[in-house]
Every structure is written in structure tokens, then in C-alpha cells.
Amino acid sequence: MSAPQQWGVTPPISNILPTEADIATNDSLVEELKRQNNFEKPEETQKRATVLESLQKITTAFVYQVSKSKGLGDAVATSAGGKIFTYGSYRLGVYGPGSDIDTLVVVPKHVSREDFFEHFPPLLTSMAPTGAIEELTPVPDAFVPIIKFEYSGISIDLIFARLALPQVPLDLTLKDKSMLRGVEERDLRSLNGTRVTDEILELVPQQKVFKYALRAVKLWAQRRAIYANVMGFPGGVAWAMLVARVCQLYPQATSSTILDKFFRIIGKWPWPRPVLLKAIEDGPLNARVWNPKIYTGDRYHLMPIITPAYPSMCATHNVSLSTKAIISREMERAAGIVDQIVKKQLQWGDLFTRHSFFTKGYKYYLSIVAASRTRDAQLIWSGLVESKVRLLVTSLENLESVELAHPFIKGFDRVHRCRTEEEVENIVNGDIHGPANDVETFTTNLKAEAKHNGDGDTNGADPEAKPEAAHMVYTTTYYIGIELALDGSKQLDISYQTKDFKDVCTGWQQYNADLNSLNIVHTRNYNLPADVFEPGELRPTRSKPKKLEKMQAASKKRALENTEQEVRVLATNVTGNRHPGAAGALVIASRPPSPISFGQMS
């Protein structure tokens, strides 16, 4: 009798077939995913297919146009081709309502990246149906240069890769690593997205089981706010590889069993031992492959999850000490919940409850406020600042007094209608939700243009609708929760860290001091703006200083023995003696570039 097939780098832990109880638990998981609106309607899926067909036509026209501009004959230009590939959640088959489509344009050798950013955007706008393209944002300076846009309401992230081939026909596949010869490093990174996604699907025993389990893990990670590569948490491909590894260890299991084992195995994983879906391969290029024995930088990866396609890379190089600790906490919490679900003590819905980052997470927050005078400038500027937030997190967590610096996974876009330049100055200096600020503020989404109620309770109104609004300011605020070390100093000076972060951001080549600004302010939990909370969530409230509580308690006791007039006198005395800087307060001295100090802490 032949040995069972081995998936991955080690033999399976178990090949036991699922029991009836396992199947019933799995059915209840799938039903919960449906209740959570995790699946897209067929007509929406067809809409995605139509958009991708259009992008393929635009890509062919783009390559033809560039080819002709470089003097190639009509026949050569026509045969040059160009092809659209997908990767990420769409290619894995785990997309849901509102998911974006990660898309790759592959072109022949005579089409450059500069051609892509110069010619593709206008061609996209002209060839798509009128009004179909919105929020078109090229980001050529990103680590992986990208064009972001919405096509008929579907978010598209479009990246570029050039092969050292004269033609890119429609039947081309990217599996053969020999076709990587002669490509630039940036193109390798772009091509790896599709190549990794395809390999993941080939390396799991049961794709259907994998997809349901991955849907559950993605939903859990998103609800618990630990799904964002740019902020130092695993992104979609990293979570997919973790689920795939557990599938390899339990090749016969149901999706619900995979989910149970996922939190137990990955939650106790002996990091920094890497997670591998297959042995790391050599290839035809002189390309860097993840190897901590050779490359010093690879030794510092805290949670290495290694892509299976050549050249193998670490998908989680952004993970910091703080985000690793947060992930471990969430894994432990989830393992306990799933254990109770299997025992019929809880429901699957309990696993997917919303995070408590703003409601119960922290007493102290840093608000990183990126501001611009125009909407278009803010789209680009906020993206640059977002990509650097993790640098501030790493800098903060190295302080002895900081136990944890927890970045929230996304920024909050707001539009402010100011009446005077003084109000504009207050906003760009970070005073976006202070008690003295009565500027009309609208919560919005710069990328989706979905306007809804914010601090100013606009009932969905357009902030630019009033003609008298002469001064509009656009802000995006990123929040970092600060957990202080129990044995740390009662003083915390982060002026150097914030100034260094600000210098990195404003040192960007396209930074324009007349358009852009960046400020970092301290925010107490009870001062967080309303739009960071969901309807029905309890907002933190300011606790009374202990000294005042004792005084009020003593006053009430004496009130039982005194006349009504005496009570009024004593009450006045108590109110007059209240001290705003009593125990428990955390005081910020000033904003950057002046020093920021967390003052005396109880």
C-alpha cells in the first residue's frame, strides 16, 4: 500500500476523514458566512468579468499605441499583444461584495513603465464607458508602482510588469520561471503576485475546503482589525498561505476543522521559524531569494511567511514587535472561542465580533493628521503618509516606557469647511476634533466618495455644496493606540520619534508645503471623534479624578447633616476646587516640530 501524498514540506498530522459532527459544524460555518454577507451575487460577479474583459481590450490598445509611437510596423504592433492577469482574493476565489480586483498588466519588452503611467490612464478614461472611471490615482513612486481607480464601482489596483519577450500573447501563462530571465527587480515583484496566487491553489489538497476556511479567516482578521500589510499586519496573501499550510497538515479535514486547527497551530507557531508551503527553489536569475543565512535583513523578520513562487520572498517583512504581539493575542482569543463553538457553547458569529480598538483598547492615542488643500492632493499625500506609519510604530515600540504601539488598519477621511484662514490653520495643525473647534466637519471616503454622517452630522450632505465655503481642507487621520509598560517611566517624551517621522514624510519629492501638511497630536480615549465608532458602541467617558471623587463623597455624607443652604455652599466649594490636571491625566505639552511629551501618568 502506497504512502499518502505529502503536501508541503512535512508529512500530514492527520488523514482522518470528517465525522458527521464535523460536517454539521462545517455546514453551520458556511451558513454563518452567508449571514455575514461574505458571498457576492452572481450578477455582481458577472460585472467583474465584464470589467476585466474591457481592461484586456484597453491593454491591447495600449501596447499597440506605444508600439506605433516607437516606430514599429502595424503588423508587429498588432501582434505585440499584452495581457491582463489577476491575483489576490479575486484569483483565489474568496472575494465578496465590495472587494477590489488586484490586476496585473504584462507587456512586451519595448513597452516601459514610463509608457504605462503616461499612456494608460488617458486611454483607460477614453475607452471605458463615459463616467465609468472614478478616483484615478497613479502612484509611480510606490514600492510596487500602481494605478488605482474605480471602474463601474469596482475598485481596481493595477500594477505593471514587462517581460523580455517581443510578444505577450493571450495564451501566455506565468508558471514557467524561465520567462523571468531579463526582467527587472520591480517587474519580478509585480509578476510574483499572480505566480504566488496560482501556486497556492496548486499546493492545497482541497481547493473548496481551503476557500471556505480562508473566507472565515479573512473575515475574522478584518473584524479584529489585524488585516493590513501596509500597517504591519499580514495582508491577504499571507493569511492565505497560513491557511494553506494548515490545509496541507490536515488534507482530509473540513473547513471548520481547518479553522479550529488554524488558531491552535499558527497561534503557537515557533516564530521566527518560517512558514513554507514548499521547499525554497533556486532559479535561472541572479535574484535575491529569502535566506536569513545570507541576508542580514531576513534575520530580523519576526513572522516570516515565505511565498512559494520563485524568487521566494517574505510576505510579512512589515510585521513589528507590536503587531506580532497583537496577532498572538487575537489568535489566543479566537482559539478559545472556536473551542467553545465546537462544544456548542458559542456560535460562529461570536468569532466575528468587531474589534474594540477605540471602545476599550487604549487610554492614549496618537492621531497622525495628514491634510491637504485639495481633494486630489490629499489622495496622493495621505497614501504616502499611510505607507510610512509603520516606521513610527517601530520607533515608538523601541522606547522602554512603551509596551505596545498599535496602529489601526486604516485612516479616517474627513472634509472640513472653514470660514477663515485661522480655522484652516487650526485644522492643518491637527485640531480636527478639539472641543474648541466648531468647524463643520464631514466624514467621507476620498477613494469611494461615499459621504455619510460625521462629526458635523451632515445627513449625507455634500461638503462642497455651499457656495460660501471658501476654505476647504481635506484630512486623513491615522490612529496609534499606546499601551504603556507597567514598570516604565512616568514621563514619555516622543518628540524625537515624531519629528523623525515627519521629516521622512515631508522629505518626499512631491511634498508641497503650500498644499500638504502633517501633524501628530495626542488624543485621549474620551476625546476620540464620533465617526470612529459604530452605531450602538459605547464611547469611553472621562473618569473623575480620585481626589474629586473623595471630595464629592464626603460632601454627600455631610449633606445629610446640613441644611439645604449649607449643601449649596459646599457644592460650590467642591466645584471651585476641581483640578483639571488631577491623577490619571496624560498631558501633551505641544505639537511637532516642538517636543511632544506624555506628562505625569498615574
Side-chain angles (χ1 to χ4, degrees), residues 535-565:
E537 285 187 331
L538 292 177
R539 297 181 61 177
T541 56
R542 184 170 189 170
S543 59
K544 297 177 180 178
K546 293 181 179 179
K547 184 177 179 180
L548 180 60
E549 289 180 350
K550 291 179 179 179
M551 292 174 64
Q552 289 177 331
S555 175
K556 290 179 180 179
K557 184 177 181 180
R558 290 194 303 270
L560 297 174
E561 304 170 354
N562 295 327
T563 64
E564 181 178 352
Q565 182 180 4

Side-chain angles (χ1 to χ4, degrees), residues 381 384-385 387-389 391-392 497-509 511 518:
W381 174 235
L384 184 278
V385 173
S387 71
K388 306 299 183 184
V389 169
L391 301 180
L392 178 57
Q497 287 75 19
T498 53
K499 182 181 184 303
D500 186 57
F501 171 73
K502 199 171 180 182
D503 289 344
V504 169
C505 294
T506 57
W508 178 48
Q509 189 175 7
Y511 172 73
L518 176 64

Side-chain angles (χ1 to χ4, degrees), residues 25 75 106 166 170 184 217 221 257 268 323 389 392 401 597 599:
T25 302
V106 177
L170 289 178
E184 297 179 5
V217 168
T257 299
K268 300 294 184 182
T323 54
V389 169
L392 178 57
S401 296
S597 296

